[in-house]
Amino acid sequence: AQSVTQPDIHITVSEGASLELRCNYSYGATPYLFWYVQSPGQGLQLLLKYFSGDTLVQGIKGFEAEFKRSQSSFNLRKPSVHWSDAAEYFCAVGPFLSGNTPLVFGKGTRLSVIA
Amino acid sequence: IAGITQAPTSQILAAGRRMTLRCTQDMRHNAMYWYRQDLGLGLRLIHYSNTAGTTGKGEVPDGYSVSRANTDDFPLTLASAVPSQTSVYFCASSQAGTGELFFGEGSRLTVL
């Protein structure tokens, strides 16, 4: 069965510092991979997604993620964090070209940003 | 652009009572989902529907039921609420084959 692991429950970074949030997945086929962000009291918003092709994908708000098949990873990065990036981040995996099988989400990583 | 509308946004409910959380989308997506979000457990799928007239069970379906009479609406019913169903509930939708989910703002439910 597919699963997603986000090893870091909570990360604190200084404003302006770089950020990397880790995501590892277990999936028997070629996956769709997603990162979502949830601001306090809000629903989830899509940051970026990987379906195929270039393994480095760009998303909104200056985020990027790199798909590494050999490591079963899809880590999220941002070169310079802003205070407004403080939120909960979720990695998710789904089946490639297999209709509407629901996504499986990781447990999330909470990002705190300090001055 | 409304997207997904959930109601109520917040509710306190006595244990044993029946409760329906409403979800409506205006994007004509064929698939809809209900997740619950609990601290430390992330998002867990309760039920889903790939198209109007069909539903499926997710990871934590016990105590919940859904129906999908049309494309736009996907209500979630708790027949007899229990305190362990205290959670934030999110409805989501997606278009076939894309995998991308669009989420509502959530419904916070407290069962006492």
Side-chain angles (χ1 to χ4, degrees):
Chain A
Q2 58 264 41
S3 66
V4 177
T5 301
Q6 294 181 245
D8 304 304
I9 297 172
H10 183 205
I11 285 181
T12 300
V13 300
S14 298
E15 191 169 17
S18 63
L19 170 70
E20 182 169 31
L21 302 182
R22 296 182 290 165
C23 173
N24 293 97
Y25 68 91
S26 173
Y27 202 75
T30 304
Y32 283 160
L33 292 160
F34 303 82
W35 274 99
Y36 283 84
V37 60
Q38 183 183 30
S39 298
Q42 303 294 314
L44 279 72
Q45 179 186 18
L46 181 70
L47 273 179
L48 48 79
K49 59 188 177 185
Y50 171 78
F51 286 177
S52 64
D54 192 346
T55 57
L56 184 64
V57 294
Q58 303 296 321
I60 62 172
K61 304 184 181 185
F63 285 91
E64 66 179 26
E66 185 172 12
F67 171 56
K68 293 185 177 180
R69 184 185 300 275
S70 61
Q71 299 177 18
S72 297
S73 69
F74 189 56
N75 295 349
L76 181 71
R77 301 193 295 250
K78 186 170 185 178
S80 178
V81 169
H82 188 261
W83 64 267
S84 61
D85 294 324
E88 187 99 18
Y89 292 81
F90 293 92
C91 182
V93 63
F96 186 69
L97 294 179
S98 295
N100 288 320
T101 304
L103 298 184
V104 174
F105 285 84
K107 289 182 167 48
T109 297
R110 183 161 62 92
L111 174 66
S112 297
V113 181
I114 57 176
Chain B
I1 299 175
I4 293 190
T5 302
Q6 292 185 233
T9 55
S10 182
Q11 181 75 46
I12 299 173
L13 187 67
R17 297 295 296 269
R18 181 184 179 89
M19 178 71 194
T20 295
L21 303 180
R22 300 184 298 279
C23 176
T24 299
Q25 55 119 346
D26 63 2
M27 297 173 283
R28 307 301 292 175
H29 287 167
N30 53 357
M32 297 187 75
Y33 312 85
W34 276 105
Y35 288 88
R36 60 177 289 174
Q37 183 178 26
D38 303 285
L39 192 63
L41 298 177
L43 287 158
R44 293 181 292 168
L45 182 68
I46 304 171
H47 285 285
Y48 66 97
S49 169
N50 284 339
T51 188
T54 69
T55 62
K57 293 182 179 181
E59 180 184 357
V60 288
D62 294 343
Y64 305 94
S65 64
V66 292
S67 62
R68 187 88 183 279
N70 57 61
T71 297
D72 298 341
D73 300 300
F74 191 44
L76 176 74
T77 297
L78 290 66
S80 179
V82 295
S84 62
Q85 293 177 311
T86 294
S87 187
V88 181
Y89 292 86
F90 287 98
C91 181
S93 70
S94 71
Q95 188 56 38
T98 67
E100 178 180 347
L101 298 184
F102 292 81
F103 284 84
E105 296 288 301
S107 295
R108 181 177 295 276
L109 181 66
T110 302
V111 182
L112 301 176

